[in-house]
Amino acid sequence: MGRLVIVSNRVAVPKRGEAPAAGGLAVAVKEAFDSRGGLWFGWSGNVAADPPNVVRHARRAGVDYAVVDLSQAAYDGFYAGYANSALWPMFHFRLALMSYDRGQAECYRAVNRFYAERLMTVLRPDDTIWVHDYQLIPLGSALRALGSRHRIGFFHHIPFPPWAVFSALPGGEDLIRDLLAYDLVGVQTHRDLAGLSDCMAQGTGMKVRQGCEVRFRGRRTRLRAFPIAIATDEFAAVAAESVRTTEVKRFATSLAGRSLIVGAERLDYTKGLPERLRAFGALLEHFPERRNAVTYLQIAARSREDVESYKDLKREIETLAGRINGDYSDADWTPVRYVGRAVPRDTLAGYYRLAQVGLVTPLRDGMNLVAKEYVAAQDPENPGVLVLSRFAGAAEGMPEALLVNPIDAVGVAEAMNAALAMPIEERRDRHGAMFRRLRENGVADWASSFLRALEGEEAEAPPARAAALSVFQARPPSRNAATSSASAAAGSAGIHVADLSTARASRLL
Ligand code: ADQ
């Protein structure tokens, strides 16, 4: 078996003697790399006025890294420009935030051609190539144009909208056609698969067999859903350890017995932060008994500060948090604690474990790993409750969360209130079901099932439809249905608690 070659836009080469990054792709592909050797190719993160046109190599912990630098002009047009100002908002259904510039679109293609040329210099004939995410959609076709006959797979980490949305992008048809250079295109959820399949059919005019296969110029491109996962046991252990550290204990003491609601993400308009702050304001307004009894900790790591819409977002969040604190604070209580930076992963895990409510309410999200991490971090004997946006990919496999529409401030407030009131048996039942599912589908399974499908070991029958139904029909333990007061509160509030019927599932698509 040949090497596995991972290509992602940003490649963080660990410093000599340092462990590789503990999250994301690094964990996902570690085992695959361990068993067959591998190469990780991408942008180094360096921007230079006139970068050397060379591939730099490094070897760390058994993994070969090959990275290239970008010029300032390439970075501006490709990354800050087309990828993050046109593609990112479009893929997240935010057409009003899209800004399109033809020069940037050309730059995006030029950078992908540049990556392909550099990558070809380091490839071996029997390598399997796995390309990641929306920055690199045309990489496969650029490699084919240079003569690559490798197996090439592409995984799309963010949502995939239907053609009615996608077609707002000038040249959208070309981007969809680029996907036909891949042998396998993976998305996170069945909702995304429906979007991708619709774009394939309408954007190319080609027949999409059973919604998941296209044949074009002798190549078969398969379309599949592979929901990304986390290293559940490892994260659970980190969280259990973290609550014993001085830092997390000090934080717990500072709560003075109040309940904790936690949110954590990159500062990004897709994550629904202003909407979430309004929902917390609504909790304090409509449920006065929660005043001075609950603290909301929001951790928002800075992100893409060179893109204009992200600067506006930061101002809006700071204003909203200031207003809630101005309206409701007491001398001994600040309702919103806002931390505007990244915190270490183990500290974050400790905060999750302390929190009675995990508030994960993106307006759209490919998957959302925070939802999974929050569940993994809980004490199984006394777990907190996940309040989760129905528009996060994670909702497809977590029907036991309290599922909400994030723009309904009062609805989200009612869900938070129901979560804070939920009896322990119901919390255990809901948590237990989600935790078991997370353990059964770990991140190593995610990577290996993608690679098995790419390398031809997948069963021929398309799994999409049957799997979609079984996920949507999953139900929480029967006790929840009518007996608990929290369920009743959630039900009367119109919160969709684990009852995604097939009919509703199809409305969500
Ligand atoms: P992201 O949009 O970055 O990822 P997410 O899946 O939630 O979103 O992953 C974020 C990661 O960063 C998590 O591991 C989280 O713990 C960590 N993190 C978040 N805020 C932090 C903070 N303030 N400090 C430190 N760490 C923080 C994209 C897609 C998602 C998809 C992933 C993986 O947008 O939908 O789930 O890729 O495919």
Side-chain angles (χ1 to χ4, degrees):
M1 193 184 278
R3 295 180 306 178
L4 171 62
V5 176
I6 299 279
V7 190
S8 63
N9 179 51
R10 176 78 169 86
V11 178
V13 181
K15 293 205 175 77
R16 207 172 278 285
E18 243 179 36
L25 269 187
V27 176
V29 298
K30 184 177 178 309
E31 287 187 31
F33 275 153
D34 281 353
S35 62
R36 63 198 284 185
L39 175 77
W40 198 332
F41 177 90
W43 173 44
S44 62
N46 295 339
V47 173
D50 190 14
N53 194 7
V54 292
V55 181
R56 282 184 284 117
H57 292 266
R59 187 172 171 80
R60 304 278 187 277
V63 176
D64 290 314
Y65 293 85
V67 295
V68 292
D69 299 340
L70 282 183
S71 70
Q72 186 66 49
Y75 173 85
D76 291 344
F78 156 76
Y79 185 72
Y82 189 74
N84 285 332
S85 302
L87 291 185
W88 178 267
M90 185 279 290
F91 276 119
H92 288 88
F93 296 66
R94 299 295 294 275
L95 299 184
L97 294 179
M98 255 173 88
S99 86
Y100 176 81
D101 174 288
R102 189 176 283 191
Q104 291 179 345
E106 282 162 8
C107 183
Y108 172 79
R109 287 197 169 275
V111 169
N112 271 277
R113 278 196 302 273
F114 164 72
Y115 284 157
E117 283 159 11
R118 298 293 95 207
L119 182 56
M120 282 300 271
T121 66
V122 297
L123 286 176
R124 297 177 192 155
D126 60 349
D127 286 341
T128 292
I129 306 171
W130 187 4
V131 180
H132 287 265
D133 229 1
Y134 63 101
Q135 300 95 348
L136 302 176
I137 292 171
L139 186 72
S141 58
L143 286 168
R144 299 289 184 214
L146 295 170
S148 161
R149 300 177 56 121
H150 301 88
R151 278 182 201 276
I152 316 180
F154 176 78
F155 186 78
H156 186 80
H157 288 256
I158 63 178
F160 214 107
W163 183 242
V165 173
F166 200 112
S167 55
L169 183 74
E173 295 84 350
D174 297 336
L175 217 50
I176 294 293
R177 225 170 285 125
D178 280 315
L179 290 172
L180 297 171
Y182 295 105
D183 299 293
L184 176 68
V185 177
V187 290
Q188 300 271 22
T189 65
H190 294 95
R191 179 163 53 196
D192 299 321
L193 189 56
L196 169 61
S197 172
D198 183 52
C199 288
M200 275 287 174
Q202 299 207 54
T204 66
M206 270 183 276
K207 182 172 160 44
V208 184
R209 297 172 192 216
Q210 293 177 286
C212 60
E213 189 178 305
V214 184
R215 287 176 195 258
F216 180 60
R217 292 193 179 148
R219 180 181 318 287
R220 181 172 73 128
T221 299
R222 284 164 303 143
L223 319 176
R224 296 283 188 276
F226 300 92
I228 198 167
I230 60 167
T232 306
D233 287 338
E234 192 239 300
F235 200 84
V238 169
E241 187 56 39
S242 174
V243 286
R244 289 198 276 272
T245 61
T246 314
E247 191 181 358
V248 176
K249 273 190 187 157
R250 205 173 53 216
F251 170 68
T253 306
S254 78
L255 296 172
R258 296 182 187 93
S259 302
L260 175 66
I261 298 176
V262 73
E265 43 265 297
R266 285 184 303 102
L267 189 57
D268 193 296
Y269 53 78
T270 62
K271 303 291 182 184
L273 283 162
E275 292 76 7
R276 195 181 306 167
L277 279 157
R278 285 191 199 99
F280 183 67
L283 175 76
L284 300 180
E285 184 188 340
H286 294 281
F287 301 94
E289 67 278 16
R290 300 290 174 204
R291 295 179 196 163
N292 209 333
V294 61
T295 294
Y296 166 32
L297 172 66
Q298 177 61 55
I299 302 168
R302 290 190 194 120
S303 176
R304 303 178 193 169
E305 290 178 293
D306 43 2
V307 179
E308 204 48 46
S309 44
Y310 287 73
K311 290 184 195 143
D312 299 343
L313 178 70
K314 187 164 178 288
R315 276 192 293 273
E316 187 182 5
I317 290 168
E318 285 165 1
T319 305
L320 280 166
R323 194 176 305 151
I324 294 170
N325 284 343
D327 287 349
Y328 294 103
S329 284
D330 278 334
D332 69 337
W333 172 61
T334 305
V336 181
R337 297 194 195 174
Y338 178 72
V339 179
R341 61 177 179 280
V343 304
R345 186 164 165 275
D346 48 352
T347 309
L348 197 56
Y351 294 161
Y352 292 158
R353 191 170 173 103
L354 288 180
Q356 282 72 21
V357 180
L359 197 51
V360 182
T361 55
L363 303 178
R364 289 277 162 189
D365 219 329
M367 179 53 62
N368 194 301
L369 296 179
V370 173
K372 297 191 171 185
E373 291 168 356
Y374 175 76
V375 169
Q378 297 310 298
D379 174 357
E381 293 305 313
N382 186 20
V385 178
L386 177 64
V387 173
L388 178 61
S389 164
R390 59 197 292 187
F391 304 120
E396 220 176 80
M398 303 180 102
E400 297 83 1
L402 299 186
L403 297 179
V404 294
N405 183 330
I407 64 159
D408 177 8
V410 176
V412 177
E414 286 167 337
M416 283 188 253
N417 190 54
L420 290 165
M422 193 179 282
I424 190 156
E425 296 78 18
E426 183 174 351
R427 283 190 276 127
R428 281 188 195 142
D429 285 347
R430 288 177 184 274
H431 171 263
M434 289 189 279
F435 189 65
R436 271 192 298 281
R437 215 173 294 123
L438 288 184
R439 291 190 76 200
E440 283 160 12
N441 302 293
V443 69
D445 304 306
W446 170 76
S448 64
S449 60
F450 184 93
L451 289 170
R452 267 201 314 278
L454 176 59
E455 296 182 325
E457 291 170 36
E458 182 200 45
E460 266 304 298
R465 190 72 189 146
L469 294 184
S470 68
V471 168
F472 281 128
Q473 285 168 345
R475 284 175 188 279
S478 56
R479 169 184 306 134
N480 302 344
T483 51
S484 104
S485 56
S487 283
S492 68
I495 298 159
H496 304 294
V497 182
D499 61 349
L500 284 174
S501 64
T502 313
R504 181 180 291 155
S506 55
R507 280 206 304 279
L508 287 178
L509 292 178

